[in-house]
Amino acid sequence: MTTVMTTADPEQLKTEALAAIDAADTLDALEAVRVETLGKSGSISAVMKTLGKMDPDERKVMGPKLNALKTEITEAITQKKTALEDAALEAELAAKALDLSLPGPDVRTGTVHPTSQVFAELTEIFANMGFAVAEGPDIEDDFHNFTALNFPPDHPARDHHDTFFFSADDQGERKLLRTHTSPVQIRTMLSEKPPLRIIAPGRTYRCDSDQTHTPMFHQLEGLVIDKGVHMGHLKGCLMDFVKAFFEVDDVEVRFRPHHFPFTEPSAEMDIGYSRDGQVLKIGTGDSWLEILGCGMVHPNVLKACNLDPNDWQGFAFGLGVDRLAMLKYGIPDLRAFFDNDQRWLKHYGFSPLHQPSTATGLS
Ligand code: DAH
């Protein structure tokens, strides 16, 4: 309860106000005291208003006194307010026991996408074989994507790739979304001196969509240029890769003749596998699974990059990264890779804490 203040004497007002503040034992009661003293029609505000009617001599004496009183009461209220709030918190903490054995709140962690996981695995494997990582743009031109890779003009392969073309620019040139990572071969040979040993991981694009094709997908290109390179090197390198990637010591492989404009001879590499119910067993078996395209770099490609085929030879390979992820981790539908469904990512994703150690790109 608060005391009603009736006097206009500052000392008396002060005593009464301080007594009322002291007596206020709740925040509500304290607020009532504040309104009754400092509020618009409070006792202190009322005497402040009388200042105007005082004669100058009296005002000189009363003015500072009343101001000091106002400050003192304001401070007293603030202090009491803090004390009451602290006491309320203490009481609340004392009433609620803290159970330190309760489990903490669930922390949601993300997962590493299977494609990113496989990129990391591939980079590590090839870095250990001395390959460096090279990059090129997603928006390419006809020269790097086709011409320098020995695709003849009007060759049907240009259509087979279901290319996404941009509209022609001012010079009549039509840029395109690269249909494979092979143009990075050209860019690297034009910008760096051999010997070369690079992999080029990246996004590629073709106008295609079904269970095993998406308009955007991922490839990894490999290129080795050196003196005296032959198909034995190609085979040895890719055998080592397959063993490391599928984590099997014994893998049957077969190099099936194929055609790519930029390699001669060209091959597709198949690995043996068998199926046990739903599970694919990679390594041996009576079935073959195609996993990549490869071959010896065509002399015309070397020439387009100002390299003399009599001095330099090389081999190249290209593989579908998403497809390898599907195979290694038993993921049935490629389209789900790009749906951004959190449940899918939680199921097929990898722990960020168990990544291959980051490859350093030795060269
Ligand atoms: N660029 C080819 C494709 O996308 C894949 C490929 C095949 C790359 C053979 C190569 C290679 O480097 O030697 O179908």
Side-chain angles (χ1 to χ4, degrees):
M1 257 348 283
T2 53
T3 324
V4 180
M5 286 156 257
T6 51
T7 177
D9 168 32
E11 279 308 314
Q12 181 72 23
L13 272 179
K14 180 174 149 183
T15 316
E16 286 180 6
L18 289 178
I21 292 168
D22 194 38
D25 52 4
T26 65
L27 286 167
D28 284 346
L30 184 66
E31 173 62 9
V33 177
R34 191 194 64 78
V35 171
E36 281 170 23
T37 51
L38 303 170
K40 250 194 203 155
S41 15
S43 53
I44 295 177
S45 310
V47 274
M48 293 292 277
K49 279 181 206 150
T50 63
L51 276 175
K53 292 183 197 119
M54 289 179 192
D55 63 57
D57 285 346
E58 197 184 354
R59 192 182 310 140
K60 249 191 208 157
V61 181
M62 286 301 278
K65 269 195 186 170
L66 289 175
N67 273 329
L69 169 67
K70 198 173 162 188
T71 310
E72 198 175 336
I73 299 303
T74 309
E75 274 170 13
I77 290 177
T78 310
Q79 268 178 23
K80 183 69 191 255
K81 192 169 176 216
T82 312
L84 285 174
E85 282 171 350
D86 286 353
L89 186 62
E90 287 295 332
E92 192 184 332
L93 287 176
K96 281 192 207 158
L98 196 59
D99 183 353
L100 294 176
S101 68
L102 284 177
D106 192 17
V107 180
R108 293 215 302 165
T109 47
T111 55
V112 174
H113 192 286
T115 300
S116 304
Q117 169 78 17
V118 168
F119 264 134
E121 293 174 9
L122 294 172
T123 308
E124 168 139 324
I125 292 169
F126 284 109
N128 284 336
M129 293 192 222
F131 284 74
V133 174
E135 286 182 323
D138 287 17
I139 297 177
E140 264 300 0
D141 51 34
D142 183 89
F143 174 77
H144 292 91
N145 198 81
F146 293 124
T147 306
L149 286 163
N150 197 37
F151 285 75
D154 306 320
H155 189 278
R158 292 186 192 227
D159 296 333
H160 285 166
H161 276 200
D162 296 315
T163 313
F164 286 113
F165 284 101
F166 288 86
S167 314
D169 63 16
D170 294 347
Q171 280 82 46
E173 190 195 344
R174 291 176 80 194
K175 287 269 182 5
L176 50 92
L177 288 175
R178 67 178 177 191
T179 57
H180 49 176
T181 42
S182 303
V184 186
Q185 291 189 29
I186 305 300
R187 290 187 176 274
T188 308
M189 282 189 271
L190 285 173
S191 65
E192 284 174 38
K193 285 205 179 329
L196 298 170
R197 210 186 291 186
I198 57 116
I199 50 166
R203 281 184 288 267
T204 46
Y205 307 83
R206 289 181 204 179
C207 187
D208 212 350
S209 182
D210 59 35
Q211 205 182 347
T212 51
H213 297 91
T214 48
M216 192 279 295
F217 56 105
H218 299 90
Q219 286 192 342
L220 182 124
E221 192 80 12
L223 174 71
V224 171
I225 301 285
D226 211 329
K227 292 189 191 254
V229 177
H230 53 71
M231 265 200 105
H233 296 124
L234 162 72
K235 190 176 172 196
C237 171
L238 293 179
M239 295 264 303
D240 282 350
F241 151 65
V242 165
K243 286 184 203 165
F245 182 73
F246 288 106
E247 295 165 27
V248 279
D249 290 335
D250 219 6
V251 197
E252 280 180 51
V253 303
R254 131 179 128 174
F255 287 84
R256 192 168 25 79
H258 198 74
H259 172 76
F260 298 106
F262 36 90
T263 42
E264 182 58 37
S266 304
E268 279 189 332
M269 182 184 183
D270 298 339
I271 54 174
Y273 79 97
S274 58
R275 192 181 277 279
D276 184 3
Q278 285 284 77
V279 183
L280 277 192
K281 201 170 157 291
I282 306 273
T284 48
D286 45 16
S287 310
W288 295 103
L289 198 65
E290 179 238 314
I291 62 156
L292 54 83
C294 58
M296 301 306 294
V297 179
H298 196 290
N300 287 350
V301 174
L302 293 168
K303 283 186 215 156
C305 299
N306 310 317
L307 295 177
D308 184 342
N310 294 316
D311 292 339
W312 299 101
Q313 300 77 40
F315 67 82
F317 53 91
L319 46 87
V321 176
D322 316 293
R323 194 175 128 73
L324 279 187
M326 290 170 79
L327 268 179
K328 181 165 175 180
Y329 295 112
I331 309 174
D333 190 336
L334 178 63
R335 288 168 298 193
F337 275 59
F338 309 111
D339 281 346
N340 286 334
D341 185 330
Q342 298 239 344
R343 292 162 302 176
W344 186 89
L345 286 167
K346 199 155 187 58
H347 182 76
Y348 287 111
F350 292 82
S351 163
L353 302 175
H354 296 102
Q355 286 297 289
S357 62
T358 308
T360 45
L362 319 164
S363 61

